[in-house]
Amino acid sequence: MNITLKQAQAIIEKAMAKAKEINTKMNISVVDAGANQVAFVRMDGAWLGSADIALKKAKTARFFDMPTGEIGKISQPGESLFGIEHSNGGLISFPGGLPIKNKDGDIIGAIGVSGSTVENDHEVAGAGAAAI
């Protein structure tokens, strides 16, 4: 099972609408079940450096099938996954990446959002993920 381009575009549209609603500019990346980028948008004026972060958040969420903020909690010094952000070519371990599930609960991809506070990134990612 894999996310389709049509679904990825719907996710990006919902995420952009949320970003506009909270008055922020975002980079939004959607990956498929294999962590390959399917769709991406950099809103006008969004930070250029956040494009890479958005993709890495989406990949991190898919690689481990959990929100990136959860990876952050278990990758702190003294925790079981300390240092994991150095694996897989670089992971992002703060909020803004979420797995995307189909109606049957199967993970079909992930979204990664970057360009504001991690709270805003997570909120925008959640709006996008809810499009499916």
Side-chain angles (χ1 to χ4, degrees):
M1 286 168 250
N2 226 347
I3 198 163
T4 66
L5 177 58
K6 184 176 180 179
Q7 289 171 316
Q9 289 171 325
I11 290 164
I12 285 191
E13 288 299 319
K14 289 286 189 182
M16 284 194 330
K18 177 52 86 174
K20 289 175 185 174
E21 179 185 314
I22 63 174
N23 196 31
T24 191
K25 300 168 180 122
M26 297 287 194
N27 289 275
I28 305 161
S29 180
V30 177
V31 299
D32 64 17
N36 303 295
Q37 188 166 257
V38 176
F40 171 80
V41 68
R42 179 175 166 246
M43 295 174 68
D44 292 341
W47 293 330
L48 181 58
S50 288
D52 180 59
I53 295 170
L55 177 57
K56 285 182 178 172
K57 284 183 181 182
K59 286 183 170 192
T60 300
R62 178 56 189 120
F63 286 161
F64 297 97
D65 295 336
M66 68 175 74
T68 54
E70 294 303 310
I71 294 278
K73 291 176 187 175
I74 56 178
S75 65
Q76 296 301 306
E79 295 298 324
S80 60
L81 295 180
F82 179 64
I84 194 170
E85 66 275 5
H86 303 292
S87 71
N88 294 285
L91 301 176
I92 300 294
S93 58
F94 45 87
L98 296 170
I100 297 172
K101 298 179 181 181
N102 66 13
K103 64 181 178 177
D104 297 324
D106 302 311
I107 295 176
I108 59 172
I111 182 172
V113 176
S114 183
S116 184
T117 65
V118 293
E119 294 82 9
N120 286 347
D121 292 356
H122 182 74
E123 184 176 356
V124 171
I132 299 296

